[in-house]
């Protein structure tokens, strides 16, 4: 079984997605402990913050400038779930071709400060360690640290995540 | 400063949101250690799974049935970030009036099994403990455990979350 990155992608793709379709597969075996990479530039605007909040976290601080001004956040701020979703997007962008199967366990997730309209987030990803799957030879685990920073370099989000990643197939 | 749950909500509201607008505020002081509540019924369908994934986690397992069938998940599955967002929604629905300001720290988040089209998730919320904010008298912290189950009663998601909640204002 191989994770088919060249699957029938019968939907329009962005430039980032287009390059994803054509990228080589990076297996567990190829991932290096200590690897540190930074990238991404996800911009938040008020419309996107409100649209996400209406569907998933309909609180005044995420929906309405006037109510948000009077709240703890003192201004419109993205839902933490929105920031989490953007983390998933930036992780995907920053690991082209990684044969990631799942994030199975996340530890010490912190939201340090609000994400505002106009903020642009980038991700710093550190590979902490790796180990084979104890039972399934076709997979391995990678322990990773993820940090989001805003355009002022301030930390916004932190999580440590166990990733299950496909191993390079053995040629029979 | 009071978190105004009756703010100018100049957007159409669902029944759930309508009842939210009219509900009394539940302050940190009102929350009881050991409180356990269950509820919500969030249904996933293939369109919603793909729509979320296109924006935040554009992997074949979340976007394309054929590719998903050949993957580790053996069928279309929601992004973990989508499940996280639905958790935020169900938390909001299950805590009417709670003066929640922020989730500041999340621990031991686990995704136990895929969420499929047709799955309906409910949330079980347990209040583990509470303590006043050490510095700011207008807030308190509540430690909570959150578990999502599918319609077969199988655990799907777990997280423990520190919530910062407004305290009842002192009348001067």
């Amino acid at each position: 079984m191989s994770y088919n990155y060249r699957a029938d992608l019968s939907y329009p793709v962005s430039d980032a997605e287009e390059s994803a379709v054509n990228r080589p597969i990076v297996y567990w075996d190829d991932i290096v402990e200590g690897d540190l990479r930074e990238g991404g530039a996800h911009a938040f605007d008020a419309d996107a913050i409100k649209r996400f909040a209406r569907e998933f976290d309909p609180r005044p601080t995420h929906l309405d400038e006037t109510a948000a001004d009077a709240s703890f956040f003192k201004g419109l701020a993205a839902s933490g779930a929105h920031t989490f979703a953007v983390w998933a997007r930036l992780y995907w962008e920053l690991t082209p071709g990684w044969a990631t199967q799942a994030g199975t366990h996340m530890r010490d997730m912190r939201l340090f400060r609000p994400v505002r309209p106009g903020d642009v987030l980038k991700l710093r990803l550190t590979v902490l360690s790796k180990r084979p799957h104890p039972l399934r030879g076709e997979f391995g685990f990678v322990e990773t640290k993820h940090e989001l920073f805003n355009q002022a370099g301030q930390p916004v989000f932190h999580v440590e995540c166990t990733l299950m990643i496909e191993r390079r197939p053995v040629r029979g």
Side-chain angles (χ1 to χ4, degrees), chain A:
Chain A
M1 192 278 296
S2 176
Y3 194 74
N4 187 1
Y5 280 97
R6 303 185 64 104
D8 172 27
L9 299 175
S10 54
Y11 51 90
V13 292
S14 68
D15 289 350
E17 287 168 320
E18 183 62 50
S19 62
V21 172
N22 295 312
R23 62 203 182 188
I25 298 178
V26 176
Y27 293 103
W28 177 87
D29 311 77
D30 305 317
I31 293 169
V32 178
E33 290 186 2
D35 182 27
L36 187 155
R37 52 183 72 195
E38 278 190 14
H42 189 98
F44 286 73
D45 62 40
D47 283 351
I49 287 171
K50 294 177 188 178
R51 183 167 52 83
F52 190 100
R54 271 203 49 73
E55 187 166 359
F56 296 114
D57 200 4
R59 299 174 187 276
T61 39
H62 309 315
L63 285 170
D64 180 271
E65 279 85 352
T66 305
D69 286 346
S71 78
F72 169 70
F73 286 110
K74 299 196 190 334
L76 198 71
S79 166
H82 193 174
T83 302
F84 185 95
V86 165
W87 163 55
R89 176 79 195 200
L90 291 174
Y91 166 67
W92 179 80
E93 291 181 8
L94 200 55
T95 55
W98 282 30
T100 305
Q101 300 298 312
T104 60
H105 188 191
M106 294 166 211
R107 294 172 303 284
D108 197 21
M109 182 185 304
R110 292 176 184 272
L111 294 158
F112 296 113
R113 53 173 48 75
V115 175
R116 307 291 192 181
D119 278 0
V120 180
L121 300 193
K122 71 173 179 182
L123 172 62
R124 178 191 294 163
L125 164 60
T126 310
V127 175
L128 301 174
S129 64
K130 50 187 275 191
R131 62 185 187 281
H133 194 299
L135 300 173
R136 299 185 62 169
E138 70 270 40
F139 299 116
F141 291 110
V142 176
E143 299 293 343
T144 52
K145 180 170 71 173
H146 303 254
E147 299 161 286
L148 293 176
F149 299 90
N150 64 21
Q151 68 283 3
Q154 298 169 314
V156 164
F157 172 91
H158 167 277
V159 69
E160 298 193 3
C161 180
T162 305
L163 299 167
M164 194 175 77
I165 299 183
E166 191 184 350
R167 296 196 66 166
R168 184 179 301 283
V170 177
R171 305 298 172 193

